[in-house]
Structures are given as structure tokens and as C-alpha cells.
Amino acid sequence: MKTVKNNLSGSTRPRLTGAVWKRDFRKNYFAYLLILPVLVWYLVFCYAPMWGILISFKDYKPLLGFAGSKWVGLKHFREFLTGPYFFRTVKNTFMLNIWGLGFGFTAPILLSLLLNEVRSMKFKKVVQTITYMPHFISLIVICGLIHIFTQSGGILTQLVNWITGTEHSSLLGYAQMFRPIYTFSGIWQNIGWDSIIYLSAMSSIDPGLYEAAEIDGAGRLRKMWHITLPQISPTIIILFIFAVGGLMASGHEKIILLYNSLTYETSDVIASYIYRRGLQEASYSFATAVGLISSVVNFILLWMTNKIAAKYSEISIF
């Protein structure tokens, strides 16, 4: 095997040549065969459809087909960037995801920290089961429950009326109530499931660290702050990078099931706008252009967050 010498450290590393690949394939051919279905799936369903982004540069007409549709260049991009809904959709998408980062991202971490301190395994399993259950409920059922709880006379509506001393009809009819309802219903649905990865990371922490801290007189909060959080910080940083990389992407399904014309001011996001323009109005090229802009911005945010994380914590995804 050929090697390349590192001038700084004097160490050597193997150079992957054709002969090395062939020898490794003969030795581990079964492992390569296991990877093959995954590669095929990605090629067919993730990479092959990417040619469709060219539709955003055409005035696509289904009857004319892809080749027969007129090439219009950046027309649809300019239409969105200068359109009346650009600021509203971008702002709402950004704000909903900021709420998700501020509350939805931290809630599973807090739950896992609290569960990690529970000594009764029976109580811990009961809490985990209760918090996991909403994750397995269909989204349409979840949204149906939200409509029931927030309608006039619903339990959440009555609670808000009692706290604020005002009278509301349906909470989903008020634009200022959409973000709290969307965010905290998402926390209720996913907090237990999302905490699993943090609990699994905590299970690998050396118990000797806690024992040494106890000998030094550290209480639970100090152990949590100085041992547990630093030990799971790589997991938190990686998930945070992915979360920031999706700041300009919001799932349209839940939003479409919850929003209405009265709440467009705070609920209309890029995904729902693409749904209305692309499917309801059949503006396929315009919807593709808007989706491409969102994807490019998400990639830039992901790359920037990854670079910052690598610089200050030496933890990154690439």
C-alpha cells in the first residue's frame, strides 16, 4: 500500500488506490452489498429528481412537457423576491423556527436532564411512556385535538380567558395566538421522543465522574451543570447545527391543518405559500423557484453554523 508522509508530524497515512479498493471489496464484499440498497434508494429518490429544479427556470406547462416549456431564466425568482408575500412568508418561517429553537429544542434537553436524576425506575418509565405517546398519534388527530381544545369553550380557551381576564372565541382565530399554539403543541407531541437521544448519550457517561463530584461536595445541580451537560454537549451541538440548517423550512402539513385566512399574518410560511401557488394555483415553476431559494438559504445557514461550531467547539458534521 502506498503511503503519503505528513511533513508536520512525520506520520504516514495510506493512499487509497484501485488495488486497495479491489482488495478491500473482496474481503468485505458482503458489507458493500448491504450498503447497495441504501445507495440505490438515495440515487433514485434523492438525486435523480434533482433535475426537476430546472423547472424553476422555465415557464413549465404540463401539456408542453419539460422540453417544450419556455425558458424564462430568473423570472420566477424575481417575482417572489419582489412580490407582496416575500417579507411575510420569510418572517413567519423564520419566527416559527426561532420559537422552535428557543422552546422546542431546549425542552427535550431539560426533560432528559430531569429524568436522568430520577432514582425510581418505575416512575421514570411511567413518565417516559406518557411523554412518548403523543409522538405516535397521527398528525391529523393531533390537529383535531388542538381545534377542539382551542375552540370556543375548549379547555385551552377557558384557561387563557381565566389567565388574561378576557373573552376569546376560538384561539385559532387570533393571529397572535398561532405561534404559541403551534410551538407548544409541537413540544407536547415530540418532547418525549426527542429526549431519547439525550438520555442515550447520558447513559455513556462514566459514573466515576459523579462519584468524584459527590466526594468534592457537589450537589445535583452542580453535577448536572459541570458533568452531564459538558458530556452530552457534542450531541447537543450536532443537533443544533441540523436545527439551524432547517430555519427556513417548516412542515406545511400541520400549518395547513391549523391556519386560516384570519391568521395568515403570522402563520403563512414559505411551505404553505408553495403549497397554495404550486398545487392549488398550478404555478409549478414559481413554487419550484421558491423552494430552491429556501433550500439554498438552509444550506448556507447549515454551512455557517457548522463552521462556527468547528471553530469554537471543534465539533462539526463535516
Side-chain angles (χ1 to χ4, degrees), residues 11 18 30-31 51 63 66 68 93 109 122 132 145 161 179 190 192 202-203 207 221 223 235-236 261 277 279 297 311:
S11 61
F30 190 73
W51 69 271
L63 294 179
F66 182 79
T93 304
I109 300 175
K122 184 177 180 180
Y132 292 170
L145 292 173
N161 290 342
R179 287 172 187 159
N190 298 309
M202 292 175 188
S203 65
L221 289 177
K223 288 188 291 184
T235 303
I236 295 174
S261 58
R277 289 295 303 267
L279 295 181
V297 173
K311 180 178 180 181

Side-chain angles (χ1 to χ4, degrees), residues 34-280:
L34 290 177
I35 298 174
L36 184 61
V38 179
L39 292 177
V40 171
W41 186 89
Y42 270 98
L43 290 173
V44 173
F45 294 103
C46 296
Y47 288 96
M50 289 183 69
W51 69 271
I53 64 175
L54 293 176
I55 293 176
S56 60
F57 301 97
K58 286 177 169 284
D59 189 10
Y60 179 71
K61 305 293 182 183
L63 294 179
L64 297 177
F66 182 79
S69 298
K70 181 182 178 182
W71 182 273
V72 294
L74 300 177
K75 171 187 173 182
H76 301 296
F77 296 92
R78 289 193 296 266
E79 182 182 350
F80 173 64
L81 295 175
T82 60
Y85 300 111
F86 170 74
F87 179 76
R88 185 180 75 180
T89 55
V90 171
K91 174 188 173 184
N92 291 340
T93 304
F94 186 75
M95 289 302 298
L96 276 180
N97 284 285
I98 287 294
W99 276 64
L101 276 179
F103 298 101
F105 183 79
T106 56
I109 300 175
L110 294 175
L111 177 63
S112 59
L113 288 172
L114 294 175
L115 288 176
N116 190 55
E117 296 298 321
V118 174
R119 296 294 174 258
S120 172
M121 292 303 297
K122 184 177 180 180
F123 178 77
K124 185 176 181 178
K125 289 180 180 179
V126 170
V127 173
Q128 287 179 301
T129 302
I130 294 174
T131 54
Y132 292 170
M133 287 176 63
H135 176 79
F136 299 99
I137 302 176
S138 170
L139 181 61
I140 191 70
V141 176
I142 291 289
C143 293
L145 292 173
I146 295 172
H147 277 282
I148 294 173
F149 294 155
T150 58
Q151 67 183 359
S152 180
I155 183 172
L156 288 180
T157 305
Q158 294 183 26
L159 180 62
V160 171
N161 290 342
W162 177 73
I163 293 174
T164 61
T166 57
E167 287 294 330
H168 294 86
S169 52
S170 172
L171 295 181
L172 287 175
Y174 298 89
Q176 67 271 21
M177 298 299 297
F178 184 84
R179 287 172 187 159
I181 293 173
Y182 180 89
T183 302
F184 291 105
S185 62
I187 293 174
W188 168 64
Q189 184 181 7
N190 298 309
I191 185 172
W193 183 259
D194 292 343
S195 66
I196 292 176
I197 189 169
Y198 299 111
L199 288 171
S200 63
M202 292 175 188
S203 65
S204 63
I205 299 176
D206 185 3
L209 296 174
Y210 293 108
E211 295 173 2
E214 287 181 4
I215 294 174
D216 291 336
R220 288 193 175 188
L221 289 177
R222 285 194 173 274
K223 288 188 291 184
M224 193 183 299
W225 183 259
H226 294 287
I227 297 177
T228 308
L229 279 175
Q231 290 294 312
I232 66 171
S233 60
T235 303
I236 295 174
I237 292 172
I238 293 296
L239 294 179
F240 181 77
I241 292 172
F242 283 117
V244 174
L247 269 180
M248 297 305 294
S250 298
H252 66 279
E253 300 92 347
K254 185 178 178 181
I255 292 176
I256 291 173
L257 291 170
L258 292 180
Y259 81 161
N260 55 69
S261 58
L262 297 175
T263 61
Y264 277 174
E265 180 185 345
T266 58
S267 63
D268 191 24
V269 297
I270 291 177
S272 60
Y273 184 55
I274 291 174
Y275 168 79
R276 292 201 308 274
R277 289 295 303 267
L279 295 181
Q280 294 183 344

